[in-house]
Amino acid sequence: MSKVPSITLNNGVAMPRLGFGVWQVDDEQATTAVGQALDAGYRSIDTAAIYGNEAGTGKALAASGIDRDELFVTTKLWNADQGHDATLRAFDTSLAKLGLEYVDLYLIHWPLPSRDTYLDTYKALEKIHADGRAKAIGVSNFLPEHLERLLGETSVVPAVNQIELHPQFQQGAARAFHARHNIVTEAWSPLGQGKGLLADPTIAQLAAKHGRTPAQVVLRWHLQLGNVVIPKSVTPSRIAENIDVFDFELDDTDLTALAGLETGSRLGPDPAAFDVV
Ligand code: NDP
Protein backbone atom coordinates (compact mmCIF):
# COMPACT_ATOMS: atom_id res chain seq x y z
CA MET A 1 0.00 0.00 0.00
CA SER A 2 1.17 3.51 -0.79
CA LYS A 3 2.34 5.62 2.14
CA VAL A 4 0.92 8.74 0.54
CA PRO A 5 -2.62 9.84 1.47
CA SER A 6 -4.95 11.08 -1.25
CA ILE A 7 -7.12 14.12 -1.70
CA THR A 8 -10.51 13.77 -3.40
CA LEU A 9 -10.87 16.03 -6.43
CA ASN A 10 -14.13 17.84 -7.19
CA ASN A 11 -15.21 14.97 -9.49
CA GLY A 12 -14.59 12.24 -6.92
CA VAL A 13 -11.23 11.09 -8.31
CA ALA A 14 -8.56 10.40 -5.66
CA MET A 15 -5.20 12.10 -6.23
CA PRO A 16 -2.08 11.38 -4.14
CA ARG A 17 -1.13 14.42 -2.07
CA LEU A 18 2.53 13.96 -3.01
CA GLY A 19 3.88 13.02 -6.42
CA PHE A 20 7.09 13.04 -8.41
CA GLY A 21 7.96 15.86 -10.84
CA VAL A 22 10.18 15.27 -13.86
CA TRP A 23 10.87 18.71 -15.34
CA GLN A 24 14.49 19.00 -16.55
CA VAL A 25 14.96 15.23 -16.53
CA ASP A 26 15.86 13.88 -19.95
CA ASP A 27 13.92 11.02 -21.50
CA GLU A 28 16.39 8.28 -20.62
CA GLN A 29 17.05 9.57 -17.14
CA ALA A 30 13.28 9.78 -16.59
CA THR A 31 13.01 6.01 -16.93
CA THR A 32 15.57 5.58 -14.17
CA ALA A 33 14.29 8.33 -11.88
CA VAL A 34 10.60 7.42 -12.23
CA GLY A 35 11.52 3.78 -11.60
CA GLN A 36 13.33 4.82 -8.41
CA ALA A 37 10.39 6.94 -7.34
CA LEU A 38 7.93 4.09 -7.88
CA ASP A 39 10.19 1.79 -5.86
CA ALA A 40 10.25 4.39 -3.09
CA GLY A 41 6.44 4.41 -2.96
CA TYR A 42 5.44 7.33 -5.19
CA ARG A 43 2.39 6.55 -7.29
CA SER A 44 1.78 9.97 -8.86
CA ILE A 45 4.02 11.28 -11.65
CA ASP A 46 3.91 14.80 -13.11
CA THR A 47 5.22 15.15 -16.65
CA ALA A 48 4.37 17.40 -19.61
CA ALA A 49 4.68 17.26 -23.39
CA ILE A 50 7.31 20.01 -23.32
CA TYR A 51 9.53 18.07 -20.87
CA GLY A 52 10.34 15.60 -23.67
CA ASN A 53 10.18 12.66 -21.28
CA GLU A 54 6.70 11.21 -21.64
CA ALA A 55 8.13 8.15 -23.42
CA GLY A 56 10.81 7.58 -20.79
CA THR A 57 8.23 8.06 -18.05
CA GLY A 58 5.88 5.59 -19.74
CA LYS A 59 8.65 3.01 -19.96
CA ALA A 60 9.19 3.17 -16.22
CA LEU A 61 5.46 2.88 -15.53
CA ALA A 62 5.21 -0.20 -17.74
CA ALA A 63 8.34 -1.80 -16.30
CA SER A 64 7.13 -1.31 -12.73
CA GLY A 65 4.36 -3.89 -13.07
CA ILE A 66 2.20 -1.69 -10.81
CA ASP A 67 -1.52 -1.91 -11.61
CA ARG A 68 -2.67 1.01 -13.73
CA ASP A 69 -5.39 1.90 -11.25
CA GLU A 70 -2.79 2.40 -8.51
CA LEU A 71 -0.95 5.00 -10.60
CA PHE A 72 -1.82 8.66 -11.07
CA VAL A 73 -0.29 10.13 -14.21
CA THR A 74 -0.45 13.82 -15.08
CA THR A 75 0.67 15.38 -18.33
CA LYS A 76 0.21 18.84 -19.80
CA LEU A 77 -0.69 20.40 -23.11
CA TRP A 78 2.12 22.61 -24.42
CA ASN A 79 1.44 26.20 -25.49
CA ALA A 80 2.07 25.63 -29.21
CA ASP A 81 -0.79 23.13 -29.26
CA GLN A 82 -3.50 25.36 -27.82
CA GLY A 83 -6.74 25.50 -29.81
CA HIS A 84 -9.49 22.89 -29.98
CA ASP A 85 -8.30 20.52 -32.70
CA ALA A 86 -4.58 20.93 -32.04
CA THR A 87 -5.26 20.00 -28.41
CA LEU A 88 -7.01 16.78 -29.40
CA ARG A 89 -4.06 15.85 -31.61
CA ALA A 90 -1.48 16.75 -28.96
CA PHE A 91 -3.33 14.66 -26.39
CA ASP A 92 -3.22 11.63 -28.69
CA THR A 93 0.52 12.11 -29.07
CA SER A 94 1.04 12.35 -25.31
CA LEU A 95 -1.00 9.21 -24.65
CA ALA A 96 0.92 7.30 -27.31
CA LYS A 97 4.28 8.41 -25.87
CA LEU A 98 3.22 7.46 -22.37
CA GLY A 99 1.92 4.12 -23.68
CA LEU A 100 -1.33 4.62 -21.76
CA GLU A 101 -5.03 4.40 -22.58
CA TYR A 102 -5.87 7.27 -20.29
CA VAL A 103 -4.19 9.80 -18.05
CA ASP A 104 -5.43 10.64 -14.60
CA LEU A 105 -5.03 14.39 -15.01
CA TYR A 106 -4.57 16.52 -18.12
CA LEU A 107 -3.63 20.17 -17.65
CA ILE A 108 -3.34 23.23 -19.88
CA HIS A 109 0.28 24.18 -19.15
CA TRP A 110 -0.05 28.01 -19.37
CA PRO A 111 -3.03 30.31 -20.02
CA LEU A 112 -1.34 32.44 -22.74
CA PRO A 113 -3.89 35.22 -22.28
CA SER A 114 -2.45 37.24 -25.18
CA ARG A 115 -3.52 34.50 -27.58
CA ASP A 116 -6.96 34.07 -26.07
CA THR A 117 -7.25 30.38 -26.97
CA TYR A 118 -7.57 28.81 -23.54
CA LEU A 119 -11.38 28.57 -23.64
CA ASP A 120 -11.37 26.56 -26.90
CA THR A 121 -8.47 24.55 -25.57
CA TYR A 122 -10.32 23.76 -22.36
CA LYS A 123 -13.40 22.67 -24.33
CA ALA A 124 -11.18 20.07 -26.03
CA LEU A 125 -10.10 18.90 -22.56
CA GLU A 126 -13.78 18.58 -21.65
CA LYS A 127 -14.25 16.29 -24.66
CA ILE A 128 -11.21 14.20 -23.68
CA HIS A 129 -12.65 13.95 -20.17
CA ALA A 130 -16.13 13.00 -21.45
CA ASP A 131 -14.50 10.26 -23.54
CA GLY A 132 -12.85 8.84 -20.40
CA ARG A 133 -9.34 9.47 -21.65
CA ALA A 134 -8.51 11.86 -18.80
CA LYS A 135 -10.07 10.99 -15.44
CA ALA A 136 -9.75 14.63 -14.42
CA ILE A 137 -8.88 17.86 -16.22
CA GLY A 138 -7.46 21.11 -14.99
CA VAL A 139 -5.06 23.93 -15.61
CA SER A 140 -1.65 25.21 -14.65
CA ASN A 141 -0.43 28.75 -14.10
CA PHE A 142 -3.95 30.17 -14.37
CA LEU A 143 -4.54 33.39 -12.45
CA PRO A 144 -7.92 33.87 -10.74
CA GLU A 145 -9.03 36.10 -13.65
CA HIS A 146 -8.43 33.24 -16.11
CA LEU A 147 -10.24 30.79 -13.86
CA GLU A 148 -13.20 33.19 -13.57
CA ARG A 149 -13.58 33.10 -17.35
CA LEU A 150 -13.37 29.32 -17.47
CA LEU A 151 -15.92 29.00 -14.69
CA GLY A 152 -18.27 31.35 -16.54
CA GLU A 153 -17.93 29.86 -20.01
CA THR A 154 -17.23 26.13 -19.68
CA SER A 155 -19.01 23.26 -17.90
CA VAL A 156 -16.40 21.23 -16.01
CA VAL A 157 -14.84 23.03 -13.04
CA PRO A 158 -11.06 22.43 -13.26
CA ALA A 159 -10.07 19.82 -10.68
CA VAL A 160 -6.61 21.30 -10.15
CA ASN A 161 -4.60 24.46 -10.76
CA GLN A 162 -0.87 23.70 -10.68
CA ILE A 163 1.01 26.90 -9.79
CA GLU A 164 4.39 28.08 -8.55
CA LEU A 165 4.19 27.86 -4.77
CA HIS A 166 6.80 27.59 -2.02
CA PRO A 167 7.53 29.42 1.25
CA GLN A 168 8.99 32.40 -0.62
CA PHE A 169 5.96 32.67 -2.91
CA GLN A 170 2.96 31.49 -0.96
CA GLN A 171 0.10 32.42 -3.29
CA GLY A 172 -2.39 33.23 -0.52
CA ALA A 173 -4.95 34.87 -2.82
CA ALA A 174 -4.83 32.07 -5.40
CA ARG A 175 -5.16 29.41 -2.71
CA ALA A 176 -8.20 31.16 -1.24
CA PHE A 177 -9.78 31.47 -4.69
CA HIS A 178 -9.19 27.78 -5.39
CA ALA A 179 -10.67 26.79 -2.04
CA ARG A 180 -13.82 28.82 -2.72
CA HIS A 181 -14.30 26.99 -6.02
CA ASN A 182 -13.30 23.49 -4.91
CA ILE A 183 -10.17 23.48 -7.07
CA VAL A 184 -7.13 21.71 -5.62
CA THR A 185 -3.94 23.77 -5.42
CA GLU A 186 -0.94 21.83 -6.69
CA ALA A 187 2.46 23.40 -5.96
CA TRP A 188 5.14 23.41 -8.62
CA SER A 189 8.74 24.02 -7.58
CA PRO A 190 7.53 23.11 -4.07
CA LEU A 191 11.14 23.16 -2.83
CA GLY A 192 11.79 26.51 -4.49
CA GLN A 193 14.02 24.57 -6.92
CA GLY A 194 16.36 23.52 -4.13
CA LYS A 195 19.37 25.64 -3.39
CA GLY A 196 18.42 29.06 -1.97
CA LEU A 197 15.26 28.12 -0.13
CA LEU A 198 16.66 24.96 1.42
CA ALA A 199 19.60 26.95 2.85
CA ASP A 200 17.30 29.40 4.63
CA PRO A 201 18.22 29.69 8.36
CA THR A 202 14.58 29.62 9.57
CA ILE A 203 14.03 26.37 7.71
CA ALA A 204 17.32 25.00 9.04
CA GLN A 205 16.17 25.76 12.60
CA LEU A 206 12.86 23.99 12.08
CA ALA A 207 14.67 21.04 10.51
CA ALA A 208 16.91 20.79 13.59
CA LYS A 209 13.90 21.13 15.93
CA HIS A 210 12.06 18.24 14.26
CA GLY A 211 15.08 16.10 13.42
CA ARG A 212 14.21 16.38 9.73
CA THR A 213 15.81 17.83 6.61
CA PRO A 214 14.99 21.29 5.23
CA ALA A 215 13.22 19.69 2.24
CA GLN A 216 11.05 17.61 4.55
CA VAL A 217 10.07 20.70 6.56
CA VAL A 218 9.08 22.53 3.39
CA LEU A 219 7.07 19.61 2.03
CA ARG A 220 5.34 19.20 5.40
CA TRP A 221 4.42 22.91 5.31
CA HIS A 222 2.76 22.44 1.93
CA LEU A 223 0.81 19.40 3.08
CA GLN A 224 -0.44 21.20 6.20
CA LEU A 225 -1.58 24.11 4.01
CA GLY A 226 -3.61 21.64 1.92
CA ASN A 227 -1.43 21.73 -1.20
CA VAL A 228 -0.62 18.78 -3.43
CA VAL A 229 3.17 18.65 -3.98
CA ILE A 230 5.35 17.21 -6.74
CA PRO A 231 9.02 17.54 -5.69
CA LYS A 232 11.59 16.58 -8.34
CA SER A 233 14.88 14.83 -7.69
CA VAL A 234 17.18 12.57 -9.64
CA THR A 235 19.08 11.68 -6.45
CA PRO A 236 17.88 8.39 -4.93
CA SER A 237 18.44 9.47 -1.31
CA ARG A 238 16.44 12.66 -1.90
CA ILE A 239 13.68 10.78 -3.74
CA ALA A 240 13.29 8.67 -0.59
CA GLU A 241 13.65 11.63 1.78
CA ASN A 242 10.97 13.68 0.00
CA ILE A 243 8.26 11.05 0.42
CA ASP A 244 9.08 10.46 4.09
CA VAL A 245 6.98 13.35 5.38
CA PHE A 246 3.83 11.76 6.77
CA ASP A 247 4.88 11.08 10.36
CA PHE A 248 5.58 14.50 11.85
CA GLU A 249 3.69 17.74 12.29
CA LEU A 250 4.66 21.40 12.28
CA ASP A 251 3.07 23.41 15.08
CA ASP A 252 1.51 26.87 14.90
CA THR A 253 4.79 28.58 15.84
CA ASP A 254 6.58 26.75 13.02
CA LEU A 255 3.86 27.70 10.54
CA THR A 256 4.06 31.35 11.62
CA ALA A 257 7.83 31.33 11.13
CA LEU A 258 7.43 29.87 7.64
CA ALA A 259 4.71 32.39 6.78
CA GLY A 260 7.36 35.07 7.36
CA LEU A 261 9.51 33.82 4.46
CA GLU A 262 7.27 35.30 1.75
CA THR A 263 9.23 37.52 -0.63
CA GLY A 264 6.59 38.15 -3.27
CA SER A 265 9.09 37.13 -5.97
CA ARG A 266 8.48 34.39 -8.48
CA LEU A 267 11.19 31.99 -9.67
CA GLY A 268 9.31 31.36 -12.91
CA PRO A 269 7.51 33.56 -15.43
CA ASP A 270 4.45 35.69 -14.76
CA PRO A 271 1.45 33.84 -16.24
CA ALA A 272 -0.15 37.13 -17.29
CA ALA A 273 2.75 37.78 -19.68
CA PHE A 274 4.29 34.39 -20.53
CA ASP A 275 3.63 33.60 -24.19
CA VAL A 276 6.48 31.36 -25.35
CA VAL A 277 5.27 28.70 -27.75
P1 NDP B 1 11.65 21.52 -6.96
O1 NDP B 1 11.18 22.63 -6.10
O2 NDP B 1 10.98 20.18 -6.89
O3 NDP B 1 13.21 21.36 -6.72
C1 NDP B 1 14.00 20.47 -7.46
C2 NDP B 1 15.46 20.76 -7.16
O4 NDP B 1 15.70 20.54 -5.76
C3 NDP B 1 16.41 19.87 -7.90
O5 NDP B 1 17.55 20.65 -8.22
C4 NDP B 1 16.75 18.77 -6.90
O6 NDP B 1 18.06 18.31 -7.12
C5 NDP B 1 16.67 19.53 -5.60
N1 NDP B 1 16.19 18.68 -4.49
C6 NDP B 1 15.15 17.81 -4.52
N2 NDP B 1 14.98 17.22 -3.34
C7 NDP B 1 15.95 17.72 -2.53
C8 NDP B 1 16.29 17.46 -1.19
N3 NDP B 1 15.61 16.58 -0.46
N4 NDP B 1 17.36 18.13 -0.67
C9 NDP B 1 18.05 19.03 -1.42
N5 NDP B 1 17.76 19.31 -2.69
C10 NDP B 1 16.71 18.64 -3.25
O7 NDP B 1 11.66 22.10 -8.46
P2 NDP B 1 10.97 21.81 -9.84
O8 NDP B 1 11.03 23.10 -10.55
O9 NDP B 1 11.51 20.62 -10.50
O10 NDP B 1 9.42 21.54 -9.51
C11 NDP B 1 8.89 20.26 -9.24
C12 NDP B 1 8.00 19.80 -10.38
O11 NDP B 1 6.94 20.75 -10.62
C13 NDP B 1 8.68 19.74 -11.74
O12 NDP B 1 9.59 18.66 -11.85
C14 NDP B 1 7.50 19.68 -12.65
O13 NDP B 1 6.93 18.38 -12.63
C15 NDP B 1 6.57 20.69 -11.99
N6 NDP B 1 6.72 22.05 -12.58
C16 NDP B 1 5.64 22.54 -13.28
C17 NDP B 1 5.69 23.78 -13.85
C18 NDP B 1 4.49 24.30 -14.57
O14 NDP B 1 4.60 25.34 -15.26
N7 NDP B 1 3.35 23.66 -14.47
C19 NDP B 1 6.89 24.64 -13.78
C20 NDP B 1 7.96 24.05 -13.00
C21 NDP B 1 7.85 22.81 -12.42
P3 NDP B 1 18.42 16.83 -7.74
O15 NDP B 1 17.39 16.51 -8.77
O16 NDP B 1 19.78 17.07 -8.31
O17 NDP B 1 18.41 15.88 -6.58
Side-chain angles (χ1 to χ4, degrees), residues 233-253:
S233 178
V234 293
T235 312
S237 59
R238 291 173 173 175
I239 292 173
E241 172 187 328
N242 293 347
I243 197 178
D244 185 17
V245 291
F246 294 100
D247 59 351
F248 76 106
E249 194 88 18
L250 301 172
D251 62 29
D252 288 346
T253 318

PDB file of all heavy atoms in Angstrom, residues 233-253:
ATOM      1  N   SER A 233      13.468  15.098  -7.974  1.00  0.00           N
ATOM      2  CA  SER A 233      14.877  14.831  -7.688  1.00  0.00           C
ATOM      3  C   SER A 233      15.333  13.671  -8.561  1.00  0.00           C
ATOM      4  O   SER A 233      14.558  12.761  -8.837  1.00  0.00           O
ATOM      5  CB  SER A 233      15.103  14.486  -6.214  1.00  0.00           C
ATOM      6  OG  SER A 233      16.471  14.194  -6.019  1.00  0.00           O
ATOM      7  N   VAL A 234      16.598  13.727  -8.959  1.00  0.00           N
ATOM      8  CA  VAL A 234      17.181  12.572  -9.637  1.00  0.00           C
ATOM      9  C   VAL A 234      18.193  11.889  -8.715  1.00  0.00           C
ATOM     10  O   VAL A 234      18.982  11.061  -9.154  1.00  0.00           O
ATOM     11  CB  VAL A 234      17.852  12.975 -10.975  1.00  0.00           C
ATOM     12  CG1 VAL A 234      16.802  13.430 -11.976  1.00  0.00           C
ATOM     13  CG2 VAL A 234      18.909  14.047 -10.778  1.00  0.00           C
ATOM     14  N   THR A 235      18.143  12.230  -7.444  1.00  0.00           N
ATOM     15  CA  THR A 235      19.077  11.679  -6.453  1.00  0.00           C
ATOM     16  C   THR A 235      18.324  10.678  -5.576  1.00  0.00           C
ATOM     17  O   THR A 235      17.397  11.072  -4.855  1.00  0.00           O
ATOM     18  CB  THR A 235      19.630  12.818  -5.562  1.00  0.00           C
ATOM     19  OG1 THR A 235      20.059  13.889  -6.410  1.00  0.00           O
ATOM     20  CG2 THR A 235      20.751  12.342  -4.675  1.00  0.00           C
ATOM     21  N   PRO A 236      18.680   9.393  -5.645  1.00  0.00           N
ATOM     22  CA  PRO A 236      17.879   8.385  -4.934  1.00  0.00           C
ATOM     23  C   PRO A 236      17.628   8.706  -3.451  1.00  0.00           C
ATOM     24  O   PRO A 236      16.510   8.538  -2.960  1.00  0.00           O
ATOM     25  CB  PRO A 236      18.684   7.093  -5.109  1.00  0.00           C
ATOM     26  CG  PRO A 236      19.383   7.289  -6.421  1.00  0.00           C
ATOM     27  CD  PRO A 236      19.732   8.762  -6.477  1.00  0.00           C
ATOM     28  N   SER A 237      18.652   9.200  -2.745  1.00  0.00           N
ATOM     29  CA  SER A 237      18.438   9.469  -1.310  1.00  0.00           C
ATOM     30  C   SER A 237      17.414  10.587  -1.123  1.00  0.00           C
ATOM     31  O   SER A 237      16.606  10.567  -0.190  1.00  0.00           O
ATOM     32  CB  SER A 237      19.757   9.855  -0.638  1.00  0.00           C
ATOM     33  OG  SER A 237      20.291  11.013  -1.265  1.00  0.00           O
ATOM     34  N   ARG A 238      17.417  11.571  -2.007  1.00  0.00           N
ATOM     35  CA  ARG A 238      16.435  12.664  -1.902  1.00  0.00           C
ATOM     36  C   ARG A 238      15.038  12.200  -2.316  1.00  0.00           C
ATOM     37  O   ARG A 238      14.042  12.649  -1.748  1.00  0.00           O
ATOM     38  CB  ARG A 238      16.861  13.827  -2.781  1.00  0.00           C
ATOM     39  CG  ARG A 238      18.110  14.533  -2.272  1.00  0.00           C
ATOM     40  CD  ARG A 238      18.554  15.542  -3.289  1.00  0.00           C
ATOM     41  NE  ARG A 238      19.640  16.375  -2.792  1.00  0.00           N
ATOM     42  CZ  ARG A 238      20.274  17.276  -3.542  1.00  0.00           C
ATOM     43  NH1 ARG A 238      19.924  17.440  -4.816  1.00  0.00           N
ATOM     44  NH2 ARG A 238      21.242  17.983  -3.043  1.00  0.00           N
ATOM     45  N   ILE A 239      14.982  11.324  -3.319  1.00  0.00           N
ATOM     46  CA  ILE A 239      13.682  10.782  -3.738  1.00  0.00           C
ATOM     47  C   ILE A 239      13.018  10.112  -2.522  1.00  0.00           C
ATOM     48  O   ILE A 239      11.837  10.320  -2.251  1.00  0.00           O
ATOM     49  CB  ILE A 239      13.869   9.786  -4.913  1.00  0.00           C
ATOM     50  CG1 ILE A 239      14.323  10.538  -6.178  1.00  0.00           C
ATOM     51  CG2 ILE A 239      12.587   9.000  -5.176  1.00  0.00           C
ATOM     52  CD1 ILE A 239      14.703   9.640  -7.352  1.00  0.00           C
ATOM     53  N   ALA A 240      13.822   9.350  -1.774  1.00  0.00           N
ATOM     54  CA  ALA A 240      13.286   8.665  -0.585  1.00  0.00           C
ATOM     55  C   ALA A 240      12.961   9.667   0.523  1.00  0.00           C
ATOM     56  O   ALA A 240      11.909   9.576   1.176  1.00  0.00           O
ATOM     57  CB  ALA A 240      14.303   7.633  -0.093  1.00  0.00           C
ATOM     58  N   GLU A 241      13.843  10.624   0.715  1.00  0.00           N
ATOM     59  CA  GLU A 241      13.648  11.635   1.780  1.00  0.00           C
ATOM     60  C   GLU A 241      12.360  12.426   1.550  1.00  0.00           C
ATOM     61  O   GLU A 241      11.602  12.698   2.489  1.00  0.00           O
ATOM     62  CB  GLU A 241      14.875  12.556   1.730  1.00  0.00           C
ATOM     63  CG  GLU A 241      14.849  13.776   2.576  1.00  0.00           C
ATOM     64  CD  GLU A 241      16.087  14.666   2.269  1.00  0.00           C
ATOM     65  OE1 GLU A 241      17.171  14.121   1.919  1.00  0.00           O
ATOM     66  OE2 GLU A 241      15.961  15.888   2.370  1.00  0.00           O
ATOM     67  N   ASN A 242      12.089  12.777   0.298  1.00  0.00           N
ATOM     68  CA  ASN A 242      10.970  13.677  -0.001  1.00  0.00           C
ATOM     69  C   ASN A 242       9.598  13.020   0.186  1.00  0.00           C
ATOM     70  O   ASN A 242       8.600  13.727   0.295  1.00  0.00           O
ATOM     71  CB  ASN A 242      11.090  14.210  -1.435  1.00  0.00           C
ATOM     72  CG  ASN A 242      12.289  15.134  -1.604  1.00  0.00           C
ATOM     73  OD1 ASN A 242      12.893  15.560  -0.621  1.00  0.00           O
ATOM     74  ND2 ASN A 242      12.648  15.431  -2.842  1.00  0.00           N
ATOM     75  N   ILE A 243       9.554  11.703   0.209  1.00  0.00           N
ATOM     76  CA  ILE A 243       8.258  11.048   0.418  1.00  0.00           C
ATOM     77  C   ILE A 243       8.069  10.679   1.899  1.00  0.00           C
ATOM     78  O   ILE A 243       6.977  10.297   2.326  1.00  0.00           O
ATOM     79  CB  ILE A 243       8.110   9.798  -0.498  1.00  0.00           C
ATOM     80  CG1 ILE A 243       6.647   9.363  -0.599  1.00  0.00           C
ATOM     81  CG2 ILE A 243       9.011   8.681  -0.086  1.00  0.00           C
ATOM     82  CD1 ILE A 243       6.393   8.176  -1.520  1.00  0.00           C
ATOM     83  N   ASP A 244       9.106  10.869   2.683  1.00  0.00           N
ATOM     84  CA  ASP A 244       9.076  10.460   4.093  1.00  0.00           C
ATOM     85  C   ASP A 244       8.643  11.649   4.966  1.00  0.00           C
ATOM     86  O   ASP A 244       9.397  12.138   5.804  1.00  0.00           O
ATOM     87  CB  ASP A 244      10.481   9.954   4.475  1.00  0.00           C
ATOM     88  CG  ASP A 244      10.529   9.400   5.881  1.00  0.00           C
ATOM     89  OD1 ASP A 244       9.459   9.109   6.450  1.00  0.00           O
ATOM     90  OD2 ASP A 244      11.653   9.292   6.424  1.00  0.00           O
ATOM     91  N   VAL A 245       7.432  12.103   4.734  1.00  0.00           N
ATOM     92  CA  VAL A 245       6.977  13.350   5.384  1.00  0.00           C
ATOM     93  C   VAL A 245       5.584  13.206   6.010  1.00  0.00           C
ATOM     94  O   VAL A 245       4.890  14.195   6.230  1.00  0.00           O
ATOM     95  CB  VAL A 245       6.970  14.526   4.375  1.00  0.00           C
ATOM     96  CG1 VAL A 245       8.390  14.915   3.983  1.00  0.00           C
ATOM     97  CG2 VAL A 245       6.161  14.201   3.123  1.00  0.00           C
ATOM     98  N   PHE A 246       5.197  11.961   6.281  1.00  0.00           N
ATOM     99  CA  PHE A 246       3.830  11.756   6.766  1.00  0.00           C
ATOM    100  C   PHE A 246       3.778  11.322   8.228  1.00  0.00           C
ATOM    101  O   PHE A 246       2.757  10.847   8.701  1.00  0.00           O
ATOM    102  CB  PHE A 246       3.103  10.750   5.850  1.00  0.00           C
ATOM    103  CG  PHE A 246       2.911  11.321   4.466  1.00  0.00           C
ATOM    104  CD1 PHE A 246       3.757  10.969   3.433  1.00  0.00           C
ATOM    105  CD2 PHE A 246       1.918  12.264   4.231  1.00  0.00           C
ATOM    106  CE1 PHE A 246       3.604  11.531   2.167  1.00  0.00           C
ATOM    107  CE2 PHE A 246       1.753  12.829   2.969  1.00  0.00           C
ATOM    108  CZ  PHE A 246       2.601  12.461   1.934  1.00  0.00           C
ATOM    109  N   ASP A 247       4.887  11.506   8.958  1.00  0.00           N
ATOM    110  CA  ASP A 247       4.875  11.077  10.357  1.00  0.00           C
ATOM    111  C   ASP A 247       5.416  12.158  11.291  1.00  0.00           C
ATOM    112  O   ASP A 247       5.992  11.865  12.318  1.00  0.00           O
ATOM    113  CB  ASP A 247       5.688   9.778  10.504  1.00  0.00           C
ATOM    114  CG  ASP A 247       7.133   9.948  10.061  1.00  0.00           C
ATOM    115  OD1 ASP A 247       7.464  11.002   9.476  1.00  0.00           O
ATOM    116  OD2 ASP A 247       7.936   9.024  10.299  1.00  0.00           O
ATOM    117  N   PHE A 248       5.267  13.417  10.899  1.00  0.00           N
ATOM    118  CA  PHE A 248       5.575  14.499  11.847  1.00  0.00           C
ATOM    119  C   PHE A 248       4.697  15.690  11.497  1.00  0.00           C
ATOM    120  O   PHE A 248       4.063  15.723  10.438  1.00  0.00           O
ATOM    121  CB  PHE A 248       7.068  14.861  11.841  1.00  0.00           C
ATOM    122  CG  PHE A 248       7.536  15.681  10.662  1.00  0.00           C
ATOM    123  CD1 PHE A 248       7.841  17.043  10.810  1.00  0.00           C
ATOM    124  CD2 PHE A 248       7.687  15.104   9.415  1.00  0.00           C
ATOM    125  CE1 PHE A 248       8.286  17.802   9.735  1.00  0.00           C
ATOM    126  CE2 PHE A 248       8.121  15.861   8.328  1.00  0.00           C
ATOM    127  CZ  PHE A 248       8.426  17.206   8.484  1.00  0.00           C
ATOM    128  N   GLU A 249       4.637  16.637  12.424  1.00  0.00           N
ATOM    129  CA  GLU A 249       3.688  17.739  12.286  1.00  0.00           C
ATOM    130  C   GLU A 249       4.383  19.036  12.681  1.00  0.00           C
ATOM    131  O   GLU A 249       5.077  19.078  13.704  1.00  0.00           O
ATOM    132  CB  GLU A 249       2.521  17.457  13.255  1.00  0.00           C
ATOM    133  CG  GLU A 249       1.287  18.273  13.060  1.00  0.00           C
ATOM    134  CD  GLU A 249       0.317  17.637  12.063  1.00  0.00           C
ATOM    135  OE1 GLU A 249       0.459  16.432  11.792  1.00  0.00           O
ATOM    136  OE2 GLU A 249      -0.549  18.363  11.559  1.00  0.00           O
ATOM    137  N   LEU A 250       4.198  20.063  11.887  1.00  0.00           N
ATOM    138  CA  LEU A 250       4.664  21.402  12.283  1.00  0.00           C
ATOM    139  C   LEU A 250       3.607  22.017  13.194  1.00  0.00           C
ATOM    140  O   LEU A 250       2.407  21.811  12.983  1.00  0.00           O
ATOM    141  CB  LEU A 250       4.857  22.260  11.037  1.00  0.00           C
ATOM    142  CG  LEU A 250       5.858  21.713  10.005  1.00  0.00           C
ATOM    143  CD1 LEU A 250       5.827  22.553   8.724  1.00  0.00           C
ATOM    144  CD2 LEU A 250       7.271  21.682  10.583  1.00  0.00           C
ATOM    145  N   ASP A 251       4.054  22.778  14.195  1.00  0.00           N
ATOM    146  CA  ASP A 251       3.067  23.410  15.078  1.00  0.00           C
ATOM    147  C   ASP A 251       2.808  24.851  14.619  1.00  0.00           C
ATOM    148  O   ASP A 251       3.402  25.328  13.650  1.00  0.00           O
ATOM    149  CB  ASP A 251       3.516  23.316  16.554  1.00  0.00           C
ATOM    150  CG  ASP A 251       4.819  24.052  16.819  1.00  0.00           C
ATOM    151  OD1 ASP A 251       5.107  25.043  16.111  1.00  0.00           O
ATOM    152  OD2 ASP A 251       5.555  23.643  17.740  1.00  0.00           O
ATOM    153  N   ASP A 252       1.915  25.528  15.325  1.00  0.00           N
ATOM    154  CA  ASP A 252       1.508  26.871  14.905  1.00  0.00           C
ATOM    155  C   ASP A 252       2.686  27.841  14.861  1.00  0.00           C
ATOM    156  O   ASP A 252       2.767  28.703  13.993  1.00  0.00           O
ATOM    157  CB  ASP A 252       0.421  27.418  15.834  1.00  0.00           C
ATOM    158  CG  ASP A 252      -0.896  26.703  15.606  1.00  0.00           C
ATOM    159  OD1 ASP A 252      -1.026  26.000  14.572  1.00  0.00           O
ATOM    160  OD2 ASP A 252      -1.794  26.831  16.463  1.00  0.00           O
ATOM    161  N   THR A 253       3.610  27.698  15.823  1.00  0.00           N
ATOM    162  CA  THR A 253       4.786  28.580  15.841  1.00  0.00           C
ATOM    163  C   THR A 253       5.639  28.349  14.594  1.00  0.00           C
ATOM    164  O   THR A 253       6.135  29.297  13.975  1.00  0.00           O
ATOM    165  CB  THR A 253       5.655  28.285  17.092  1.00  0.00           C
ATOM    166  OG1 THR A 253       4.788  28.110  18.198  1.00  0.00           O
ATOM    167  CG2 THR A 253       6.662  29.368  17.361  1.00  0.00           C
TER     168      THR A 253
END
